[in-house]
């Protein structure tokens, strides 16, 4: 072997060693990344629309919470929880949103934080869930939280919070068309225009507000379309405003169609779809499908309108099953959240231990009473938050089943509208009776009771209730089961007995349907019901 070969081999070995050292240094520095750096990284992921990665990073930071942390580290954990709430809403993970709101409330209570920062996240939850369900009641719940968040943004000079809160207020008006909001909305706009330093944000949100007023107050659709054109020109190539631009261009569809600008409306929808498809945000894709259906309905193309309506419904079902239920019951995530909650509770007690020691010296009995009082306070707080989760999901299931029209499916039907009304009335009488709680109740039995064919009865059920026979009957049976669980008449009945009394012969089938329509297990619901009854009895005994 000559000298040159030896030198070449030594160079190769040196290069490999240098490469290994660089890799080790990179991984070492990543492993040593501080929570502040990781928080900044999560913020960057969020700005770049990588919402899943941002959500996971925020939750990892929040899970590091410990009672003996410094005040600064606890503040970063709270900030990470805020970030996880924001990303969960963007991903339509409503159960996880509520879970993270509960944790944030607990941590804030422990640290005695009483600012209004959480208002913007409650506002986000209600506006997103309301738009997802097209539920006016849910949208109106957003309004007071958005006002509170806007006031907080003005007091703290937080321009981003002011922008988000003001756009939520505009969206409340856009979807509810509540003219009573207009006077207050105009006052908010005057404050917004004076307090937002960024000229682009000020101009774009101002044009957005004027477009909404032109369309729904003044009915000047051409003026509204011009405002949206200016927004499109300003924001379409700026990735920082992808979310805002996408939302506004969807809203622009309605005004452009009303102004007769069909080609521009269709091109705008195509641009928006390309953008939201790349962002992987299901709630925005839902919106595009909704406006595509609206667009083709106005153009008279019912086939395409129905196609996009069905795509939207399919995506809505996907969000409900994957983004809400499966994620919520993920063992790994629930374990982590329970551990974080346990740490927060432990921190609350440890932070007060010094005061407790001073109190219980010589007064052990008094100390026991104080501890019991604190535990009751905590349990009451958790029960109220659990009820928030229950109510949100019950409203979602109660309103979600009738969102899809089935009339196009039966275009070949010979039934007249009068016959359908007659059959629907007969069906409703049966559904209002105890017949549906018989375990042999079926579509055939129902058809015999109303004296019509099974095909005709099935059609009327689908068109009237927006769901098939099985879904309608199971929903009615489960809600009756809930009523019986809540009733004192059935408090000594077993779960199997209640299941059988509403028509279920299999406990497993009852449990699956119960969780599907209420969002919680039978035992969990019964426990909450018992606590409510105990609380009512206690109140009545005091009176």
């Amino acid at each position: 072997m000559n000298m040159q070969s030896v030198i070449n081999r030594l160079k190769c070995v040196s290069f490999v060693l240098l490469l290994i050292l660089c890799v080790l240094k990179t991984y070492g520095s990543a492993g040593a990344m501080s929570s502040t750096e990781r928080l900044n990284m999560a913020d960057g992921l969020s700005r770049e629309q990588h919402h899943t990665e941002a959500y996971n990073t925020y939750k990892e930071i929040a899970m590091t919470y410990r009672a003996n942390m410094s005040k600064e580290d606890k503040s970063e954990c709270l900030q990470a929880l805020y970030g996880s709430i924001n990303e969960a809403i963007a991903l339509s993970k409503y159960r996880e949103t509520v879970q993270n709101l509960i944790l944030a409330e607990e941590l804030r209570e422990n640290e005695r934080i009483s600012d209004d920062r959480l208002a913007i996240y409650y506002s986000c939850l209600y506006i997103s869930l309301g738009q997802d369900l097209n539920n006016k009641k849910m949208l109106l719940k957003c309004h007071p939280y958005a006002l509170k968040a806007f006031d907080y943004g003005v007091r703290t000079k937080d321009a981003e919070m002011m922008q988000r809160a003001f756009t939520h207020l505009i969206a409340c008006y856009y979807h509810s068309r509540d003219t009573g909001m207009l006077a207050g909305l105009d006052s908010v706009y005057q404050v917004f225009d004076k307090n937002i330093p960024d000229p682009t944000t000020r101009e774009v949100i101002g044009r957005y507000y004027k477009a909404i007023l032109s369309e729904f107050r003044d009915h000047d659709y051409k003026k509204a379309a011009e405002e949206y054109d200016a927004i499109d020109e300003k924001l379409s190539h700026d990735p920082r405003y992808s979310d805002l631009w996408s939302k506004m261009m969807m809203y622009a569809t309605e005004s452009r169609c009303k102004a007769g600008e069909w080609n521009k409306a269709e091109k705008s929808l195509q641009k928006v779809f390309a953008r939201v498809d790349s962002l992987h945000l299901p709630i925005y894709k839902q919106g595009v499908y909704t406006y595509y259906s609206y667009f083709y309905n106005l153009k008279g193309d019912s086939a395409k309108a129905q196609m996009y309506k069905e795509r939207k419904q399919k995506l809505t079902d996907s969000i409900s099953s994957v983004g809400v239920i499966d994620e919520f019951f993920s063992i790994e995530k629930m374990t982590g959240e329970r551990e974080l909650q346990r740490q927060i509770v432990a921190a609350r007690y440890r932070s007060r231990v010094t005061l407790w020691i001073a109190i219980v010296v010589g007064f052990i009995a008094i100390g026991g009473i104080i501890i019991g009082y604190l535990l009751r306070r905590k349990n009451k707080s958790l029960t109220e938050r659990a009820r928030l989760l229950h109510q949100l999901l019950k409203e979602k299931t109660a309103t979600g089943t009738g969102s899809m029209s089935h009339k196009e499916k039966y275009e070949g039907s010979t039934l007249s509208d009068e016959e359908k009304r007659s059959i629907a009335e007969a069906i409703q009488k049966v559904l209002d009776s105890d017949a549906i709680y018989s375990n042999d109740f079926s579509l055939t039995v129902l058809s015999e009771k109303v004296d019509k064919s099974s095909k005709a009865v099935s059609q009327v059920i689908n068109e009237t209730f927006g769901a098939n026979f099985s879904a309608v009957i199971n929903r009615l049976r489960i809600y009756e089961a809930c009523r019986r669980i809540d009733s004192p008449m059935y408090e000594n009945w077993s779960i199997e007995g209640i299941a059988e009394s509403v028509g279920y012969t299999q406990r497993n089938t009852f449990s699956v349907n119960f969780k599907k329509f209420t969002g919680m297990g039978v035992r969990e619901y019964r426990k909450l019901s018992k606590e409510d009854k105990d609380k009512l009895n206690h109140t009545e005994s005091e009176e």
Side-chain angles (χ1 to χ4, degrees):
M1 183 181 296
N2 58 33
M3 183 61 68
Q4 187 60 42
S5 297
V6 173
I7 292 172
N8 288 338
R9 289 193 176 188
L10 287 173
K11 285 182 177 178
C12 288
V13 172
S14 299
F15 176 76
V16 171
L17 289 173
L18 181 61
L19 183 63
I20 291 172
L21 287 172
C22 288
V23 172
L24 289 174
K25 183 177 179 181
T26 301
Y27 277 100
S29 61
M33 188 181 291
S34 69
S35 58
T36 302
E37 291 169 330
R38 292 172 69 203
L39 197 57
N40 290 334
M41 182 178 73
D43 292 341
L45 289 168
S46 179
R47 285 192 298 271
E48 293 168 8
Q49 315 298 329
H50 300 304
H51 296 286
T52 300
E53 294 87 342
Y55 177 79
N56 291 333
T57 305
Y58 282 129
K59 285 308 293 283
E60 287 171 6
I61 297 168
M63 293 301 174
T64 63
Y65 181 92
R66 294 294 179 270
N68 56 357
M69 271 183 164
S70 67
K71 187 174 182 180
E72 291 74 16
D73 288 339
K74 289 178 180 178
S75 177
E76 287 181 344
C77 287
L78 179 58
Q79 195 61 41
L81 270 178
Y82 290 154
S84 68
I85 294 167
N86 203 53
E87 301 308 307
I89 293 171
L91 294 166
S92 301
K93 296 181 177 181
Y94 297 125
R95 279 183 182 264
E96 295 197 11
T97 299
V98 176
Q99 284 284 335
N100 293 331
L101 279 168
I102 290 170
L103 293 172
E105 290 276 21
E106 289 289 304
L107 199 156
R108 284 161 52 90
E109 183 179 344
N110 178 61
E111 298 302 320
R112 299 178 183 177
I113 297 171
S114 58
D115 58 51
D116 289 329
R117 277 186 294 175
L118 263 185
I120 193 64
Y121 301 109
Y122 280 108
S123 171
C124 284
L125 173 62
Y126 282 121
I127 199 74
S128 300
L129 199 55
Q131 290 178 96
D132 184 6
L133 303 174
N134 193 26
N135 185 320
K136 182 177 178 180
K137 181 180 177 182
M138 191 72 70
L139 285 163
L140 292 177
K141 286 183 178 181
C142 160
H143 194 262
Y145 286 109
L147 281 175
K148 184 184 290 187
F150 184 82
D151 290 341
Y152 180 75
V154 174
R155 292 198 308 272
T156 58
K157 301 188 185 304
D158 188 331
E160 182 182 356
M161 185 170 290
M162 280 189 278
Q163 175 198 321
R164 294 181 71 185
F166 185 47
T167 55
H168 289 172
L169 290 169
I170 296 174
C172 280
Y173 171 66
Y174 177 89
H175 289 282
S176 67
R177 314 291 162 87
D178 187 342
T179 54
M181 292 183 182
L182 283 179
L185 200 55
D186 193 56
S187 300
V188 173
Y189 172 65
Q190 301 302 324
V191 177
F192 174 87
D193 193 51
K194 292 177 182 177
N195 286 275
I196 298 297
D198 179 52
T200 299
T201 302
R202 194 166 57 247
E203 178 189 350
V204 167
I205 302 299
R207 287 188 178 278
Y208 172 40
Y209 177 55
K210 291 171 185 175
I212 295 294
L213 293 183
S214 297
E215 183 172 358
F216 299 112
R217 185 189 64 186
D218 305 331
H219 307 292
D220 189 344
Y221 308 121
K222 188 173 182 180
K223 175 65 176 174
E226 289 172 357
E227 296 290 359
Y228 283 122
D229 286 341
I231 293 171
D232 188 15
E233 184 178 346
K234 192 83 174 177
L235 296 188
S236 60
H237 301 295
D238 192 336
R240 295 175 303 165
Y241 296 97
S242 289
D243 289 2
L244 190 60
W245 174 83
S246 300
K247 184 188 297 182
M248 291 184 183
M249 290 306 101
M250 283 189 275
Y251 292 167
T253 303
E254 188 170 349
S255 57
R256 284 169 174 165
C257 288
K258 290 176 180 176
E261 298 177 352
W262 299 100
N263 290 336
K264 190 175 287 187
E266 188 170 21
K267 287 179 181 178
S268 177
L269 279 173
Q270 290 169 351
K271 283 170 63 178
V272 175
F273 185 82
R275 180 74 62 87
V276 301
D277 195 41
S278 67
L279 297 179
H280 305 294
L281 295 180
I283 192 168
Y284 281 104
K285 194 176 287 188
Q286 276 185 301
V288 177
Y289 287 151
T290 298
Y291 282 100
Y292 261 125
S293 180
Y294 171 81
F295 173 79
Y296 283 115
N297 259 325
L298 288 182
K299 289 198 75 175
D301 192 338
S302 59
K304 283 190 176 180
Q306 179 62 21
M307 177 184 71
Y308 282 107
K309 185 183 290 185
E310 289 175 356
R311 287 184 182 178
K312 190 256 185 183
Q313 184 62 37
K314 184 176 180 181
L315 185 58
T316 300
D317 292 342
S318 172
I319 291 172
S320 298
S321 61
V322 178
V324 180
I325 297 177
D326 288 348
E327 294 285 355
F328 180 79
F329 288 106
S330 166
I331 295 174
E332 183 177 343
K333 291 190 177 185
M334 286 300 294
T335 299
E337 287 175 355
R338 280 197 296 267
E339 173 62 16
L340 175 57
Q341 197 163 17
R342 188 186 66 79
Q343 289 291 337
I344 291 172
V345 173
R348 178 187 298 173
Y349 294 144
R350 289 172 190 169
S351 67
R352 297 174 181 175
V353 69
T354 303
L355 177 61
W356 286 355
I357 290 174
I359 293 173
V360 300
V361 172
F363 301 97
I364 296 176
I366 297 176
I369 294 172
I370 293 173
I371 292 171
Y373 171 72
L374 292 173
L375 286 173
R376 284 196 299 276
R377 272 189 61 196
K378 179 185 182 304
N379 288 335
K380 179 181 178 182
S381 175
L382 291 176
T383 299
E384 291 299 321
R385 289 172 174 79
R387 190 172 288 107
L388 166 64
L389 171 62
H390 178 210
Q391 184 61 28
L392 282 174
L393 296 173
K394 191 167 182 181
E395 287 180 2
K396 184 173 179 65
T397 55
T399 57
T401 53
S403 61
M404 179 181 177
S405 173
H406 295 259
K407 292 183 179 179
E408 291 83 355
K409 180 178 176 182
Y410 298 99
E411 286 181 346
S413 172
T414 59
L415 290 176
S416 67
D417 289 343
E418 185 59 35
E419 287 176 311
K420 290 178 186 178
R421 280 194 294 272
S422 175
I423 295 172
E425 290 173 0
I427 290 171
Q428 190 61 58
K429 287 181 181 178
V430 177
L431 296 183
D432 290 339
S433 72
D434 290 340
I436 63 172
Y437 307 129
S438 172
N439 56 30
D440 61 354
F441 188 78
S442 64
L443 180 60
T444 303
V445 173
L446 176 59
S447 302
E448 291 173 355
K449 287 182 177 293
V450 301
D451 196 23
K452 296 293 178 181
S453 69
S454 296
K455 183 177 179 181
V457 171
S458 178
Q459 176 184 342
V460 173
I461 287 176
N462 273 272
E463 290 184 1
T464 304
F465 297 96
N468 61 30
F469 170 81
S470 178
V472 171
I473 296 304
N474 277 313
R475 187 167 72 249
L476 290 172
R477 285 176 170 178
I478 293 304
Y479 287 170
E480 175 61 14
C482 290
R483 188 193 70 77
R484 295 186 182 190
I485 289 172
D486 293 336
S487 171
M489 291 177 59
Y490 295 86
E491 62 182 1
N492 295 323
W493 283 47
S494 65
I495 291 173
E496 288 80 4
I498 289 177
E500 188 174 347
S501 74
V502 295
Y504 290 97
T505 57
Q506 297 293 328
R507 167 70 182 273
N508 184 57
T509 305
F510 175 67
S511 299
V512 169
N513 280 288
F514 195 98
K515 186 166 290 185
K516 176 181 177 181
F517 289 104
T518 67
M520 60 176 63
V522 187
R523 294 186 184 280
E524 185 181 359
Y525 184 95
R526 193 167 205 176
K527 180 181 177 183
L528 184 61
S529 175
K530 185 177 184 303
E531 290 172 356
D532 286 341
K533 285 185 280 191
D534 290 344
K535 180 179 177 182
L536 179 62
N537 291 336
H538 180 68
T539 303
E540 289 176 348
S541 65
E542 287 183 343
E543 292 175 352

